[in-house]
Amino acid sequence: SCTMLQKVVLGSNISEIEEFVFAHCPSLSEIHVKSLTPPDVVNAFSNPDGTPNINYNSCVLYVPEKAIDLYKDAEEWSSFTQIKVLSTPTITMTTTANVGDYIMLSVDAEGEPEVEGAELKFSGMAVVKAPQITIRGHVTGLDCSDAQLTELNVSQMPTLTKLWCNNNALTALDT
């Protein structure tokens, strides 16, 4: 019984949720599921007497964008009326370098990161396309040394374990 539980985050490797796991959790208002395949669920959101434990109209289910239709069609998951896209981890930065200039920008990631505002080139270099640069994906390492940055926000990147940002003119660094 977790009467105060409001939010649950289930990792990408979860494949099954046992019966009555969230029984007696009436405050549950957000469920974030990172798995691309909807986990097998039978009565996980019900009480042992069979009554629903959560309000399927107000509890928001967040899932990966690529899997949203699978969740809408999956038994028990389809009961949620609010199925939304799980936000993608993001890094934002602002550079004073001119459009067309090369800056140091090396990104290590699990999978291919999506970069807006710069074009990754060779040997850790990038061409600036806009002053605001956004990196989406599961970044584990970022080297943005000497990139003429004034702002860097890595607070929305939980997978980041290594950061190099020396020789910049940072006025704001959010971690």
Side-chain angles (χ1 to χ4, degrees):
S1 176
C2 299
T3 58
M4 301 302 290
L5 183 65
Q6 296 176 6
K7 178 181 174 181
V8 171
V9 179
L10 302 172
S12 59
N13 294 326
I14 300 291
S15 61
E16 183 178 344
I17 301 174
E18 293 293 323
E19 192 172 41
F20 311 127
V21 167
F22 299 109
H24 308 293
C25 301
S27 300
L28 194 57
S29 61
E30 289 184 32
I31 301 171
H32 299 246
V33 187
K34 296 178 180 180
S35 178
L36 290 173
T37 303
D40 292 332
V41 176
V42 177
N43 295 324
F45 305 108
S46 298
N47 292 314
D49 66 4
T51 59
N53 179 57
I54 62 170
N55 183 332
Y56 288 107
N57 293 319
S58 63
C59 185
V60 182
L61 175 63
Y62 293 93
V63 300
E65 184 173 13
K66 293 178 182 177
I68 200 161
D69 289 333
L70 294 173
Y71 281 86
K72 286 180 178 179
D73 293 337
E75 191 171 338
E76 193 147 347
W77 296 112
S78 63
S79 298
F80 289 86
T81 60
Q82 295 187 67
I83 301 178
K84 297 183 178 182
V85 174
L86 192 61
S87 63
T88 303
T90 304
I91 294 173
T92 58
M93 59 186 76
T94 303
T95 183
T96 58
N98 294 317
V99 171
D101 285 353
Y102 279 83
I103 60 169
M104 170 69 81
L105 187 58
S106 179
V107 180
D108 294 326
E110 300 168 3
E112 192 66 30
E114 176 187 329
V115 180
E116 294 175 10
E119 183 180 345
L120 298 178
K121 291 293 188 178
F122 51 88
S123 301
M125 301 300 290
V127 175
V128 175
K129 300 291 184 182
Q132 183 72 28
I133 300 169
T134 302
I135 304 170
R136 291 183 181 84
H138 297 282
V139 175
T140 57
L142 176 67
D143 186 348
C144 53
S145 303
D146 299 305
Q148 301 176 47
L149 299 182
T150 57
E151 296 180 13
L152 176 60
N153 184 339
V154 296
S155 65
Q156 300 302 308
M157 187 59 62
T159 54
L160 187 68
T161 58
K162 296 178 185 174
L163 173 64
W164 297 270
C165 59
N166 53 305
N167 297 326
N168 282 295
L170 290 171
T171 58
L173 174 61
D174 295 322
T175 59

